[in-house]
Amino acid sequence: MASSSVRKVVVINFKGGVGKTTTAVNVSSGLAMEGFRVLLVDADPQASATFILLKSFQYNLADLFREEATLEQTIVTVRRNLDLIPSSKALATVNTWLVESQTPQRAQVMDRFLRRASGYDFIIIDTAPSFSLLNANAISFAEEAWVPVAMEYLALANLRELVHVLGRAEENLGKQIPISNVIPIMVDYRNRKTQQILRMLQDIFGDVVTEPIRTNVRVSEANFQFKTIFEYDPACHGSVDFRALVEKVIRENLIYGKDSN
């Protein structure tokens, strides 16, 4: 069984291109660098987190769903204190498989195998930009949601849908899944639209809105060099901003009743 002190996080937004994977990879890495044991689960068939962190693997999350590999066979150590359950394009077929196989409690399959992951302080799930059975599985496992938000008006409409879905999930699961961090990303303070959207986010979500992640080309460059931002350019704005987000997440351990290192 997983440690009772583990924080179970889904990184989610139904809109694409908002920095979910960038957030999941860099916050997971930052936490691992601070000595926390982290398991990152790549639940996106695009497999972007896997692309950044891992060159080769034998088994992936699709194998785990289909019971063609064990949890231990699927987990790969990718950095010190950071493990990954990789993804592949095969994961795109899992939604159909879950429906056609008439799997009992098909939205809670991920919970059944991830609850056996032991020794972690954080289990963080990166998700695809859609509502699907895969995402329903991630939500069912999670105990909190981190929501990266790009500085676009359409992003606010998608947030309303996400809040509705999380509310319905709470009704069905009998547990709360709070949005603990709304993360403004790709922020350019010179843009008036950005300033307006930031104010709207703060009006709606208040204190859970984090300090913004500023637009920084070094972040996207790091992804294509198969590195985290801390490895690629530890002094750039992207590293500074993600380090501040990691520090906020660590401070939250006191709120969630978890141990801090």
Side-chain angles (χ1 to χ4, degrees):
M1 296 291 289
S3 167
S4 61
S5 65
V6 65
R7 282 177 65 180
K8 303 173 182 179
V9 179
V10 58
V11 182
I12 191 165
N13 190 319
F14 296 149
K15 189 178 186 309
V18 299
K20 288 187 301 297
T21 295
T22 297
T23 299
V25 166
N26 286 303
V27 175
S28 295
S29 173
L31 289 167
M33 290 168 63
E34 292 296 324
F36 293 92
R37 290 279 295 140
V38 182
L39 174 62
L40 176 60
V41 182
D42 189 350
D44 185 348
Q46 294 184 43
S48 296
T50 303
F51 172 83
I52 296 167
L53 294 172
L54 184 62
K55 292 183 178 179
S56 63
F57 54 91
Q58 183 172 4
Y59 299 107
N60 66 80
L61 186 60
D63 299 314
L64 200 48
F65 266 99
R66 298 173 188 271
E67 298 184 346
E68 295 173 356
T70 66
L71 180 67
E72 293 74 17
Q73 288 175 317
T74 310
I75 292 174
V76 182
T77 298
V78 291
R79 302 290 190 276
R80 183 180 181 185
N81 294 324
L82 177 58
D83 290 350
L84 174 72
I85 295 180
S87 177
S88 74
K89 291 180 180 179
L91 194 60
T93 66
V94 166
N95 278 304
T96 303
W97 175 80
L98 285 169
V99 172
E100 293 179 348
S101 66
Q102 298 182 333
T103 302
Q105 296 181 309
R106 58 193 182 191
Q108 295 167 344
V109 177
M110 187 180 291
D111 181 75
R112 292 202 291 275
F113 57 71
L114 282 185
R115 71 173 63 177
R116 301 197 304 270
S118 62
Y120 294 105
D121 302 297
F122 292 85
I123 299 177
I124 299 172
I125 306 173
D126 185 27
T127 59
S130 63
F131 186 69
S132 61
L133 270 174
L134 267 177
N135 279 0
N137 269 267
I139 291 169
S140 295
F141 172 76
E143 293 178 352
E144 57 181 294
W146 297 348
V147 185
V149 183
M151 297 295 97
E152 302 173 12
Y153 291 116
L154 186 58
L156 297 177
N158 280 274
L159 273 181
R160 285 194 288 269
E161 181 184 1
L162 176 59
V163 169
H164 174 72
V165 167
L166 291 176
R168 290 290 301 273
E170 289 174 6
E171 293 175 13
N172 296 332
L173 297 170
K175 67 174 184 179
Q176 287 191 328
I177 308 167
I179 296 176
S180 55
N181 285 298
V182 172
I183 305 163
I185 200 162
M186 294 179 279
V187 169
D188 183 348
Y189 287 108
R190 298 168 296 181
N191 190 314
R192 181 177 298 178
K193 180 181 70 172
T194 289
Q195 296 175 21
Q196 292 173 337
I197 293 172
L198 281 174
R199 285 195 295 269
M200 294 170 74
L201 285 175
Q202 288 160 352
D203 288 344
I204 296 168
F205 292 101
D207 291 343
V208 302
V209 180
T210 71
E211 289 296 315
I213 308 295
R214 290 167 286 179
T215 298
N216 184 225
V217 69
R218 305 295 278 173
V219 174
S220 57
E221 289 175 355
N223 292 342
F224 286 97
Q225 293 296 323
F226 315 110
K227 294 180 179 180
T228 70
I229 189 58
F230 306 114
E231 295 166 332
Y232 184 67
D233 189 345
C236 73
H237 290 321
S239 287
V240 171
D241 293 347
F242 272 112
R243 193 171 294 112
L245 178 56
V246 168
E247 290 170 356
K248 179 183 185 296
V249 168
I250 294 170
R251 291 195 301 271
E252 289 170 350
N253 282 353
L254 297 175
I255 298 172
Y256 283 87
K258 314 301 185 185
D259 295 331
S260 293
N261 283 13

